[in-house]
Amino acid sequence: MEKKDYLKREVEHIDIKSFNAIPIIEQFDKTAFQARNLARAAKIYDRMLSDKDCSIILCLAGSLFSAGLRKIVHDMIENNMVDMIVSTGAIIVDQDFFEALEFKHFQGTPQSDDNELMEMMIDRIYDTYIDEEHLRICDMTVSEIANNLEAAPYSSREFIKFMGKYLKEKDMGKESVVRISYEKNLPIFVPAFSDSSAGFGLVYHQWNRKDKLKVSIDSVKDFLELTKIKVNSKETGLVMIGGGVPKNFAQDVTVAAEILEKTVNMHKYAVQITVADERDGGLSGSTLKEAHSWGKVDEGSEQMVFSEATIAFPLLASYAYHRGNWKKRKSKNFNTLLDGKEI
Ligand SMILES: NC(=O)c1ccc[n+]([C@@H]2O[C@H](COP(=O)([O-])OP(=O)(O)OC[C@H]3O[C@@H](n4cnc5c(N)ncnc54)[C@H](O)[C@@H]3O)[C@@H](O)[C@H]2O)c1
């Protein structure tokens, strides 16, 4: 097989507008196990959208966009169904920005010959393939963006804004989460920004700057910025897909605000879709009930859903989209709050 034979069938993105999940979620609600948990989570998310005081934080981990979930998040941003995002470099740079540069993810199989893939510079994520040569262009584009900035420390949010500006100026990435976030003034935080294609690009940038001043990423600034949003929001709700760093980072802002001697409520609503469970004591599977003991998540409107996200997330998002409570919400423009005035 040649490389082009592997990279044939593009992963297509799920469109939550194209099907109405209300009837299946209502039926799930009358059943048991994870179907009922998903119905409860979808209803809690819908309550967040109806609560005019609630700012919604969407946390994304795993390989969601390479698996076809990118358009869901794009449409949630476009329709004011979310107010800020906390995610990983893999999702935001390797997958979203990558596709905005007009590269694709392809359907493959876990049974493939991985040595042959390596020799052809094809990377595999379970049953999908990526052209490593395209990823290198993505790395170098991040480096190019850094080269054109004033040498200084930036929060990942600030740097991702420049990535959105780059796409807009080049008129690329119409369905990109990075681009629509830039256009809608919606912050994206990636606390472990360097652990991705962005890291390769920034390593290249810093190496070539030698003794000159360099662009760097200040993750403390990210934490402070997210904490400022929390302090400025009467209530907050978490929609978490996967787990990992985004889950903990977003939950921790209640404690950070307390340390700054600001009075804030715990996250009032929280739902999580994950395949991790709680038995190993790991963060990704720790329950939202447990998070209450840490003073992070309030009791009563929290729900874990133990399911793989490519199945459960489209149903949850389609339910909320078709319920339509987002129509009463406006863009919260949190980038303007962070860039324009101090609290
Ligand atoms: N995932 C990748 O392909 C990839 C690629 C390059 C870099 N990275 C980097 O690795 C670091 C860790 O990434 P991560 O936080 O995504 O780690 P991860 O992939 O281990 O995901 C964290 C947790 O989320 C849950 N999860 C993941 N996918 C899920 C799914 N489809 N459905 C339900 N639950 C799911 C699992 O419980 C997992 O333990 C990040 O800095 C990221 O940028 C990841």
Side-chain angles (χ1 to χ4, degrees), residues 205-220:
H205 161 81
Q206 293 205 352
W207 177 266
N208 287 300
R209 282 285 165 119
K210 304 219 175 343
D211 298 331
K212 294 193 213 104
L213 290 172
K214 306 162 177 76
V215 165
S216 61
I217 301 297
D218 180 348
S219 72
V220 181

Side-chain angles (χ1 to χ4, degrees), residues 60-64 66-67 69 87-91 94-95 125 130 190 192-197 241-246 272-277 284-285 305 307-310:
L60 303 167
S63 287
L64 309 179
S66 62
L69 304 184
S87 188
T88 63
I91 288 180
D94 302 33
Q95 297 173 14
I125 300 179
I130 305 149
V190 174
F193 194 63
S194 299
D195 192 19
S196 67
S197 191
I241 316 298
V245 169
Q272 184 186 358
I273 296 170
T274 188
V275 289
D277 72 34
S284 292
V305 183
S307 168
E308 205 272 303
T310 52

Side-chain angles (χ1 to χ4, degrees), residues 92-94 97-98 101 135-149 159 163 166 193 196-205 215 217:
I92 298 302
V93 186
D94 302 33
F97 190 65
F98 174 85
L101 298 177
L135 260 182
R136 300 278 168 104
I137 298 173
C138 184
D139 306 345
M140 286 305 115
T141 310
V142 171
S143 177
E144 182 194 327
I145 292 170
N147 290 342
N148 288 318
L149 293 180
F159 193 86
M163 291 167 59
Y166 175 94
F193 194 63
S196 67
S197 191
F200 297 126
L202 292 174
V203 161
Y204 189 77
H205 161 81
V215 165
I217 301 297

Side-chain angles (χ1 to χ4, degrees), residues 78-125:
E78 187 171 49
N79 295 302
N80 301 322
M81 295 171 73
V82 51
D83 302 306
M84 72 212 90
I85 291 176
V86 183
S87 188
T88 63
I91 288 180
I92 298 302
V93 186
D94 302 33
Q95 297 173 14
D96 182 79
F97 190 65
F98 174 85
E99 287 209 4
L101 298 177
E102 293 169 4
F103 302 130
K104 299 285 177 198
H105 294 91
F106 296 91
Q107 289 187 320
T109 162
Q111 272 78 47
S112 50
D113 178 341
D114 288 309
N115 195 48
E116 186 168 275
L117 293 183
M118 187 193 64
E119 283 169 355
M120 290 186 186
M121 293 188 82
I122 298 172
D123 305 323
R124 181 168 71 81
I125 300 179

Side-chain angles (χ1 to χ4, degrees), residues 20-236:
N20 184 343
I22 294 177
I24 185 102
I25 291 289
E26 291 303 345
Q27 290 194 43
F28 280 174
D29 198 26
K30 299 191 179 85
T31 64
F33 311 148
Q34 298 316 310
R36 178 143 59 115
N37 284 349
L38 176 59
R40 189 157 185 273
K43 290 178 180 203
I44 291 171
Y45 176 39
D46 192 41
R47 289 219 311 273
M48 295 184 209
L49 292 165
S50 313
D51 182 341
K52 63 176 175 31
D53 294 326
C54 181
S55 300
I56 301 175
I57 310 173
L58 178 64
C59 301
L60 303 167
S63 287
L64 309 179
F65 289 5
S66 62
L69 304 184
R70 177 185 188 231
K71 183 172 162 49
I72 298 179
V73 177
H74 173 278
D75 291 351
M76 287 168 78
I77 298 168
E78 187 171 49
N79 295 302
N80 301 322
M81 295 171 73
V82 51
D83 302 306
M84 72 212 90
I85 291 176
V86 183
S87 188
T88 63
I91 288 180
I92 298 302
V93 186
D94 302 33
Q95 297 173 14
D96 182 79
F97 190 65
F98 174 85
E99 287 209 4
L101 298 177
E102 293 169 4
F103 302 130
K104 299 285 177 198
H105 294 91
F106 296 91
Q107 289 187 320
T109 162
Q111 272 78 47
S112 50
D113 178 341
D114 288 309
N115 195 48
E116 186 168 275
L117 293 183
M118 187 193 64
E119 283 169 355
M120 290 186 186
M121 293 188 82
I122 298 172
D123 305 323
R124 181 168 71 81
I125 300 179
Y126 186 52
D127 61 354
T128 61
Y129 300 141
I130 305 149
D131 187 338
E132 171 72 24
E133 290 173 87
H134 290 168
L135 260 182
R136 300 278 168 104
I137 298 173
C138 184
D139 306 345
M140 286 305 115
T141 310
V142 171
S143 177
E144 182 194 327
I145 292 170
N147 290 342
N148 288 318
L149 293 180
E150 190 186 324
Y154 295 87
S155 62
S156 67
R157 178 196 69 85
E158 290 171 313
F159 193 86
I160 292 162
K161 263 183 68 182
F162 288 113
M163 291 167 59
K165 187 164 179 261
Y166 175 94
L167 294 175
K168 189 166 172 144
E169 282 169 3
K170 297 236 177 284
D171 198 21
M172 294 176 96
K174 290 257 159 57
E175 293 203 337
S176 159
V177 164
V178 169
R179 176 164 170 182
I180 187 121
S181 299
Y182 171 72
E183 289 168 344
K184 299 234 4 165
N185 260 323
L186 180 142
I188 301 180
F189 298 96
V190 174
F193 194 63
S194 299
D195 192 19
S196 67
S197 191
F200 297 126
L202 292 174
V203 161
Y204 189 77
H205 161 81
Q206 293 205 352
W207 177 266
N208 287 300
R209 282 285 165 119
K210 304 219 175 343
D211 298 331
K212 294 193 213 104
L213 290 172
K214 306 162 177 76
V215 165
S216 61
I217 301 297
D218 180 348
S219 72
V220 181
K221 194 170 183 188
D222 276 313
F223 198 24
L224 184 59
E225 288 183 347
L226 188 59
T227 305
K228 284 180 180 177
I229 296 178
K230 175 68 188 160
V231 170
N232 273 269
S233 301
K234 197 163 171 197
E235 304 291 355
T236 43

